[in-house]
Amino acid sequence: MIEKIVKTGKIMILLMAAGMLCLAGCSGDRQEPEIPDPDTKENVFQGKIIENREDVLLLSGMSETSASLVSLSPKETLVTDQNGKKTEASGLKNGMIIDVIMGEDATIAESYPGQIHGQKEIRIVGQENDITGMYLEAIKEIYQIDPGLNSGVKIMALDLSMSVNMSEAEKSALAYQWDSWLRSQSQDMDVYQKTYDELVEEGMIDGEKLYFPEGMLITIEDKEIKGDSFEFSISKWCSGLGADGLENCKAVFENGIGTYTKGTAWIS
């Protein structure tokens, strides 16, 4: 694993090499976590909470220059609300935007996800919709429809290019979450973010026979969110005669938490 540790305040970079980091489950276009500027008054990493599980936060970077994923433990860290008042870490919810204030000796290990250590404060900035959490449940559902198609699948591709409601960082986070879920189910697959055309160009899909050997492509397409709801479609495809989908599903969010109603189901 190649790991770069960035020490904020007095910048010190240590490179430690012990092999090659290989995470099956995310796009090859990942960007590394953005290194805070040591010349600013405060070193801040702003992120959106993707998961709060087992005392570890998974954040997607909010900066346009960083589509990174970062994890940290909020244990023994001061947490303040939007009014600057102390609050409990248990109140940190998926979809929240937070500022992670780095301590003088804080470090960011640039593994994947990146790991923040030594933060001195977590400030809640606001609440947005947990779109990745809603989509993770939708992917689980489409995957479990017609389970016979899942047999022998060793390659899992996610086409998120037609989703207008997720940032690039959130798309990377969703791929990471899906990979983690598959592994939790003892399903060891290679997970990629790729479109149908990219898979054909790379020889992974036979474009003439319309067949994805040992593979499955899950595609999400949505319409722009209006208020706190939007429509989307989701499908899984293994071949021209092996596909399932749900059209015109409706996602609704309340206090950032999303649910959805299934639309029209189809089978090929």
Side-chain angles (χ1 to χ4, degrees), residues 70-105:
V70 168
S71 65
L72 64 90
S73 172
K75 283 185 176 181
E76 301 180 1
T77 301
L78 172 65
V79 180
T80 56
D81 63 19
Q82 290 171 271
N83 298 314
K85 295 182 179 179
K86 183 178 179 180
T87 187
E88 297 298 323
S90 58
L92 295 170
K93 300 178 180 178
N94 291 359
M96 277 185 172
I97 308 301
I98 62 173
D99 282 344
V100 181
I101 313 301
M102 311 295 257
E104 179 68 20
D105 296 319

Side-chain angles (χ1 to χ4, degrees), residues 1 7-8 23 26 32 35 97 102 107 112 120 123 127 143 152-153 159 173 176 197 230 236 259:
M1 180 176 71
K7 185 173 181 181
T8 64
L23 173 64
C26 300
E32 294 184 345
I35 301 171
I97 308 301
M102 311 295 257
T107 60
Y112 193 82
K120 66 178 182 180
R123 295 175 185 167
Q127 175 73 56
Y143 181 68
V153 172
D159 181 0
Y176 177 81
D197 289 341
F230 62 86
K236 71 177 185 180
T259 58

Side-chain angles (χ1 to χ4, degrees), residues 195-211:
T195 66
Y196 176 89
D197 289 341
E198 289 172 338
L199 292 166
V200 171
E201 289 176 4
E202 295 177 18
M204 300 174 76
I205 286 179
D206 187 327
E208 293 184 359
K209 295 182 180 179
L210 299 178
Y211 179 56

